Amino acid sequence: MKTRYLLTIALVGALGLTASLARAADPLPSWNEGTAKKSITTFVEKVTKENSPDFVPIPERIATFDNDGTLWSEQPMYVQAFFVFDQIKKMAPQHPEWKEKEPFASVLKGDLKTALAGGEKALVGMLAATHSGMTTEEFEKSVTDWLATAKHPKTGKPFTEMVYQPMLELLAYLRANGFKTFIVSGGGIEFMRPWTERVYGIPPEQVVGTSGGLKYELRDGNPVLVKLPELVLNDDKEGKPIGIQRHIGRRPIAAFGNSDGDFQMLEWTTSGKGARLGMIIHHTDAEREVAYDRKSHIGKLDRGLDEAAAKGWSVVSMKDDWKTIFPPAKPTN
Amino acid sequence: MKTRYLLTIALVGALGLTASLARAADPLPSWNEGTAKKSITTFVEKVTKENSPDFVPIPERIATFDNDGTLWSEQPMYVQAFFVFDQIKKMAPQHPEWKEKEPFASVLKGDLKTALAGGEKALVGMLAATHSGMTTEEFEKSVTDWLATAKHPKTGKPFTEMVYQPMLELLAYLRANGFKTFIVSGGGIEFMRPWTERVYGIPPEQVVGTSGGLKYELRDGNPVLVKLPELVLNDDKEGKPIGIQRHIGRRPIAAFGNSDGDFQMLEWTTSGKGARLGMIIHHTDAEREVAYDRKSHIGKLDRGLDEAAAKGWSVVSMKDDWKTIFPPAKPTN
């Protein structure tokens, strides 16, 4: 009996070990087996295999990722919009005139619907007020401070935990295969850089985003860069290939997006020669996240769904292709 | 006799080995021993030593290099200016009107002095004519094709061999110590990217330079990026810290330049906290290269010389600090 007992323990132990080895060997454990996962691994094997006709040298293995809705959640509102509203509240004591001035007055009353009713003009005014006039270092601190305490309104989690676990695995898998991973996002470049290295392993110099003007000046003999209320790059739609060329200077071989704002980035990427991977993250999971596409104001995906098949782009269904959406909660100690 | 002979061979061999080991151990063999070389090695040792108070983690080891006059020769004229003049000649058959139109008419007659007499307006016109209207891929090809045959007017060498051997060693030394090396140049970003990886080991995404507008459009269903005659970044003087922030997103800890156009880059770099290295390459060698500084139209260095000591910047005398200027000629097979 004793022998059999020990044997059983040994066998169970061995089985457990085998299972964890199998898990360790799968670089994308949060992805269900299926065409989406297969399209990734097949592409990576092709471009990394030395004698393959599709082999791509390491320096040319450039992969670009949209951020909002592709790497982290963009519902019910862009994270940066929450930041803007909170900054307006924080800055209000220095701006008594905002009590009478739209869209600020509505934001201060908590009436975001009225605040946003002013359309693009209202948005630009709020962005200018909260994203310019300060130095780059002051702005960086305001983002870092805000992220340390701000919580997602539905889940109560820090926004930096509202990132997609399968995409974190994908980033790591590509990097392990010699890819350089970049963010190419409509979000503000200076809003992303303070945290993308810690959260995604993407350093500031590999972040491309909507950018404003800067002014170099001396304050008490110390140089500073002051953020100006002028647009240098609107990194959305046609702006994405432009941002890629300006910041990266070569065409990616893989691109990942989730909305029609990413259409031109995927088009530019996948129309290059050789093996290419274009992938759309389709928000299909009403239960574990939010289901939205053609009719959504945020992250509208319409043309991309229509043309994906013809363009050879892979469409990921979050509901079917992803085992988990978000990473396990971090210990709060 | 035979024994002594063998002993002599063994001793000479051992001495030779020791000498080559010493050479191998010196990462900057083209730099004479002196304060300039010492300022580099002392800085690198400080920031890379784990328990040093000046230790800098690898991701923050950012070093920026000016190009013209710092990494390659800028005399008697910027290399890009030679390119502009040659492009005008090459494009002339498609522009019969240039025969009557300045500054093009003078360029075509070989009278560069008159062509340049039109000042900035003439320059902008020539840059627009030769650097916009084509796609980024067409422009890249024109640069690559030109560099393959163009020769420096004095040395007869390809321009990509008019690079400074001590700086190539410095780039390699910094990278071997975990630095990421960037170019931050007043030169055109698209003019540099086609060759910086091959010549300096600096990939396109680590090149910051003067940048023009781009337009994304479809031609016969294929996307292209068309270069526009509009300035997006003038990457000189105050433009250098701005370019650094826009493209890199963090402050370098080391910066290398040669002219007053690099002043603000060095100022921005060395006014950050912790150990910093600012270095000016001073063109003092009339015999092996060209001696110029305060009065030069190209690469004027005046304020930098006045303020270097007070700012703690190291000044390299090419004549005294560099054993060799250019790399050995490449075999032409």
Side-chain angles (χ1 to χ4, degrees), chain B residues 117-137:
Chain B
E120 201 182 339
K121 201 186 150 206
L123 267 175
V124 168
M126 289 189 283
L127 276 170
T130 55
H131 284 64
S132 65
M134 68 289 286
T135 70
T136 50
E137 287 178 354

Side-chain angles (χ1 to χ4, degrees), chain A residues 59 62 136-137 180 182 189-190 193 197 203-207 211-216 218 222-225 232 238 241-242 245-251 264 267-268 271 303, chain B residues 59 62 136-137 180 182 189-190 193 197 203-207 211-216 218 221-225 232 238 241-242 245-251 264 267-268 271:
Chain A
I62 304 285
T136 50
E137 287 178 353
K180 214 166 181 174
F182 288 80
I189 194 167
E190 308 273 8
R193 281 169 162 168
E197 190 155 33
E205 63 270 23
Q206 286 162 225
V207 176
S211 314
L214 294 169
K215 184 172 185 283
Y216 183 79
L218 295 180
N222 285 316
V224 294
L225 288 164
V232 164
E238 290 83 1
I242 291 170
Q245 181 63 23
R246 203 182 280 178
H247 286 254
I248 309 176
R250 49 184 155 199
R251 206 192 287 226
Q264 287 82 359
E267 182 178 62
W268 176 241
S271 57
R303 190 179 168 201
Chain B
I62 304 287
T136 50
E137 287 178 354
K180 214 166 182 175
F182 288 81
I189 194 167
E190 307 273 7
R193 282 170 162 166
E197 188 154 35
E205 63 269 23
Q206 286 162 225
V207 176
S211 314
L214 294 169
K215 184 171 186 283
Y216 183 79
L218 295 180
N222 286 316
V224 293
L225 288 164
V232 164
E238 290 83 1
I242 291 170
Q245 181 63 25
R246 204 182 280 178
H247 286 254
I248 310 177
R250 48 184 154 198
R251 205 192 290 225
Q264 287 80 1
E267 182 177 62
W268 175 241
S271 57

Side-chain angles (χ1 to χ4, degrees), chain B residues 47-48 79 87 113 133 179 190 194 210 230-231 235 238 245 251 268 279-280 282 285 303 313:
Chain B
V47 300
T48 55
V79 177
Q87 286 301 104
K113 207 177 163 186
F179 280 78
E190 307 273 7
T210 294
E230 61 182 38
L231 196 62
D235 195 35
E238 290 83 1
Q245 181 63 25
R251 205 192 290 225
W268 175 241
M279 183 167 264
I280 295 175
H282 188 192
D285 198 324
R303 190 180 168 199
W313 300 341

Side-chain angles (χ1 to χ4, degrees), chain A residues 192-214:
Chain A
M192 295 182 282
R193 281 169 162 168
W195 52 271
T196 54
E197 190 155 33
R198 174 173 59 85
V199 174
Y200 301 137
I202 297 179
E205 63 270 23
Q206 286 162 225
V207 176
V208 182
T210 294
S211 314
L214 294 169

